[in-house]
Amino acid sequence: MGAGESVYVARTQVTNAQYAEFLAATGYAAPQNWTDGTYPAGEDDFPVNYVSATDAEAYCAWLTERDGVNTYRLPNESEWELAATCPRMQTSTAA
């Protein structure tokens, strides 16, 4: 990451519902823990799991195309470390 570059990291993980939207639009294979191509009832907002790096990259490519403005990708190691340790990236629990 060079000087002056901005990196944005989502505050939450990709949910089952978001990933299902990608699957419906692309015909991509569902994660192996989904039954008949769908996640368990009531788990819309749970993080999707059993997704490989290749699956995640395909999701990012689809999201980039759908958005039409921003580029979505997985963070590299230094970006991930910055996001995990930067005080500005932390959420406040103060009331």
Side-chain angles (χ1 to χ4, degrees):
M1 186 167 62
E5 289 185 41
S6 294
V7 175
Y8 299 93
V9 178
R11 288 188 179 267
T12 61
Q13 298 173 345
V14 174
T15 66
N16 284 321
Q18 291 169 322
Y19 200 74
E21 188 177 348
F22 157 67
L23 300 182
T26 64
Y28 204 83
Q32 67 182 15
N33 66 321
W34 290 18
T35 304
D36 296 325
T38 192
Y39 53 89
E43 295 189 4
D44 296 9
D45 295 328
F46 284 40
V48 67
N49 52 40
Y50 289 89
V51 174
S52 70
T54 301
D55 298 336
E57 289 167 352
Y59 176 82
C60 289
W62 168 78
L63 192 57
T64 295
E65 184 177 317
R66 189 183 86 164
D67 182 294
V69 175
N70 298 299
T71 300
Y72 297 86
R73 63 176 176 77
L74 300 176
N76 63 38
E77 186 176 351
S78 64
E79 293 165 343
W80 182 250
E81 186 175 332
L82 178 64
T85 60
C86 179
R88 292 181 308 178
M89 302 291 264
Q90 306 303 314
T91 55
S92 173
T93 57

